[in-house]
Amino acid sequence: MTKVITYGTYDLLHYGHIRLLERAKELGDYLIVGVTADDFDKTRGKINVQQSLMERIEAVRATGLADEIIVEEYEGQKIDDIQRYGVDIFTVGSDWKGKFDYLNAYCKVVYLDRTEGVSSSEIRAEKRKIFIGTIGNKGLCDKFIKEVSYVNGVEYKECDEEYLGVDAVYIATLPEKHYSDVKRALEKGKHVICESPIAMNTIQCKELIEYAENNSLILVDGIKTAYSTAYSRLLVLAKSGHIGEILSIDSVCTSNRVTGITDLKNEQNSICAWGPTALLPIFQLAGVEYNDMQIVTKLFDKKANFDAFTKISFEYDKMVATAKVAKAAKSEGELIITGTKGYIYVPAPWWRTEYFEIRYENQNENKKYFYQLDGEGIRYEIVAFARAVENKKRGYYLKDDISLNIATVIERFSKRKYKELS
């Protein structure tokens, strides 16, 4: 029996995919189809995949061409699979010609001509064409515009504060303006990505979330860290008991950039600039039902309520958590999640990490995890946003209760409900 193996993403399965699978089937007696995992696709730069892994597997199974379906999860798996399954022929499309010649040492390699005139990329681009504009901080907007170019079916279009000619808008104005800017955009029927916090208090944040939901609009709290592969993976590992019961979460985000000559009128204070990111892992792992919250701050400018450094402490029934943020002080920007069996360590800057460790008492049991991060997570955020707009349904990355509780913390600080260091 001649065994054949082939691999692909098979997103939005089309005639070209089916024709390739048919020709692969004709090469032997038994066809194994490897479908790439979501995380593996991201490491290969394929960020525009629309369907989940299970949806793509089911689409391949429905063709009736695969005798066996496996999941491709890591670099180098092809050699392992060829040896494990006793494969005689490896085959892929001719656009990969020469790329897999090294596999000739393990089996025969055949490159098949692709069907002209059809591709998943073209289908994705045609399926969702979203024009998005930006307003606010030039540096943040320039980064966002650059990342838009990597996402299929989403195009940047210049707009003013009336949002004419666009379907969606990225808002990166000062936090004090977020409520009015987001409200105006939603009232004009635009989908919105807004840098966190969405609003400076809970009532306004809730109002915007409800308005978006009631009018079938997508409103996204723009914390790009939530969309990075490494961060998503560490959440799964922490929740699945790899470090035992979680007892403590310590999150630090600092940048020592504010000086005596800084124009504070055009600057976010520490808690607005770093607070949402620092609070993210706390609320996603410990939840938002805390028993007590304490804020201690060192003010840079008392009149402006501009904090140089702020520490936010939470007490839950079964764990504690702290978030430290600063724009006029410096500390190691790491994330540590303490458990009864071990701990997760994410080195600085943890919010842009491609790497983290799970550490145990027995160092031989330690594990390291590496994941590629492109564009600081912004392009993944845009992909998720575009998918939400198309499906008319928010994704799972950031729930409303997290956005609301971020606004609650910032509201408390804005009302000066904190202990001030002298």
Side-chain angles (χ1 to χ4, degrees):
M1 181 172 68
T2 301
K3 285 190 174 183
V4 181
I5 195 166
T6 189
Y7 296 85
T9 301
Y10 304 107
D11 188 36
L12 304 174
L13 191 80
H14 53 70
Y15 174 72
H17 289 139
I18 295 171
R19 184 69 190 110
L20 199 67
L21 290 173
E22 287 174 341
R23 294 169 66 201
K25 181 88 169 177
E26 292 168 359
L27 294 174
D29 307 302
Y30 190 88
L31 177 62
I32 302 169
V33 178
V35 181
T36 53
D38 297 330
D39 287 347
F40 186 50
D41 271 329
K42 284 183 180 179
T43 65
R44 300 187 306 141
K46 299 193 74 168
I47 64 168
N48 292 300
V49 178
Q50 272 198 269
Q51 295 179 300
S52 69
L53 173 61
M54 292 311 301
E55 288 174 323
R56 292 181 282 118
I57 287 174
E58 288 306 314
V60 170
R61 181 177 285 117
T63 67
L65 295 168
D67 295 292
E68 187 171 349
I69 299 173
I70 61 175
V71 177
E72 185 179 20
E73 299 182 272
Y74 59 90
E75 192 73 34
Q77 184 178 328
K78 291 180 176 66
I79 293 174
D80 292 344
D81 289 342
I82 289 167
Q83 295 177 326
R84 181 183 299 115
Y85 297 104
V87 170
D88 302 290
I89 299 172
F90 167 87
T91 185
V92 286
S94 57
D95 50 338
W96 293 97
K97 194 165 186 177
K99 173 73 173 178
F100 297 107
D101 287 354
Y102 69 93
L103 293 178
N104 277 308
Y106 304 92
C107 67
K108 183 180 179 181
V109 176
V110 176
Y111 296 101
L112 297 172
D113 289 337
R114 284 194 174 273
T115 305
E116 295 294 329
V118 61
S119 74
S120 295
S121 296
E122 291 173 353
I123 292 173
R124 283 191 293 264
E126 291 172 2
K127 193 172 181 181
R128 49 175 179 154
K129 179 74 79 174
I130 300 169
F131 290 98
I132 189 165
T134 65
I135 64 165
N137 180 276
K138 186 178 185 303
L140 293 174
C141 288
D142 286 348
K143 275 187 182 181
F144 187 88
I145 293 166
K146 179 183 177 182
E147 295 304 311
V148 165
S149 65
Y150 292 97
V151 181
N152 284 344
V154 182
E155 291 186 19
Y156 167 71
K157 186 174 182 181
E158 191 172 341
C159 73
D160 58 20
E161 293 191 359
E162 295 303 312
Y163 314 125
L164 297 175
V166 298
D167 307 299
V169 62
Y170 165 69
I171 295 174
T173 51
L174 288 172
E176 294 80 4
K177 290 191 64 185
H178 284 179
Y179 170 74
S180 59
D181 289 336
V182 172
K183 185 177 182 180
R184 186 170 64 257
L186 293 175
E187 288 175 344
K188 291 181 178 295
K190 312 301 179 183
H191 305 287
V192 176
I193 303 178
C194 180
E195 283 294 318
S196 196
I198 292 173
M200 294 289 286
N201 65 64
T202 313
I203 292 175
Q204 290 181 342
C205 185
K206 185 177 181 181
E207 176 192 333
L208 294 174
I209 290 171
E210 290 179 349
Y211 186 95
E213 186 175 350
N214 293 338
N215 290 274
S216 300
L217 294 168
I218 301 300
L219 171 58
V220 169
D221 200 339
I223 307 176
K224 57 184 178 292
T225 302
Y227 301 86
S228 77
T229 305
Y231 177 75
S232 298
R233 183 62 175 158
L234 75 84
L235 288 183
V236 171
L237 292 172
K239 291 178 179 179
S240 59
H242 280 67
I243 60 171
E245 182 183 352
I246 298 174
L247 299 176
S248 176
I249 304 164
D250 297 288
S251 172
V252 181
C253 299
T254 68
S255 54
N256 197 358
R257 296 178 180 175
V258 174
T259 68
I261 62 172
T262 303
D263 181 6
L264 299 184
K265 292 180 181 178
N266 296 312
E267 195 78 29
Q268 296 185 55
N269 62 9
S270 300
I271 198 163
C272 285
W274 284 119
T277 301
L279 293 168
L280 181 66
I282 294 173
F283 289 155
Q284 289 193 310
L285 288 172
V288 297
E289 299 296 327
Y290 47 85
N291 298 323
D292 187 42
M293 173 178 61
Q294 298 292 331
I295 303 176
V296 179
T297 191
K298 173 70 173 179
L299 292 177
F300 184 85
D301 186 309
K302 191 165 187 174
K303 184 178 179 181
N305 202 29
F306 196 107
D307 51 329
F309 166 87
T310 295
K311 178 182 177 182
I312 312 153
S313 302
F314 298 90
E315 182 182 323
Y316 294 81
D317 286 339
K318 295 184 177 180
M319 70 179 82
V320 294
T322 61
K324 296 177 183 177
V325 298
K327 290 185 73 176
K330 194 63 184 172
S331 184
E332 189 72 12
E334 60 191 11
L335 173 65
I336 299 176
I337 305 166
T338 304
T340 54
K341 296 180 180 178
Y343 67 97
I344 294 175
Y345 171 71
V346 192
W350 73 260
W351 54 92
R352 290 190 305 188
T353 191
E354 297 180 304
Y355 155 77
F356 64 89
E357 293 183 32
I358 297 184
R359 296 176 176 176
Y360 299 98
E361 184 71 23
N362 181 354
Q363 294 184 9
N364 293 325
E365 298 178 357
N366 292 358
K367 293 184 179 180
K368 298 179 179 180
Y369 297 83
F370 298 87
Y371 299 91
Q372 184 171 321
L373 177 66
D374 297 307
E376 300 180 22
I378 299 172
R379 68 185 65 168
Y380 307 141
E381 178 184 45
I382 299 169
V383 169
F385 176 71
R387 188 176 297 141
V389 169
E390 181 187 338
N391 297 331
K392 297 181 173 60
K393 184 178 180 181
R394 282 267 305 278
Y396 59 86
Y397 296 94
L398 272 169
K399 294 183 178 179
D400 291 339
D401 60 351
I402 292 176
S403 297
L404 288 166
N405 276 274
I406 287 172
T408 298
V409 174
I410 290 173
E411 178 180 8
R412 182 165 176 171
F413 183 90
S414 299
K415 291 181 177 179
R416 300 179 186 260
K417 294 182 178 181
Y418 48 64
K419 179 180 178 181
E420 183 183 352
L421 297 175
S422 58

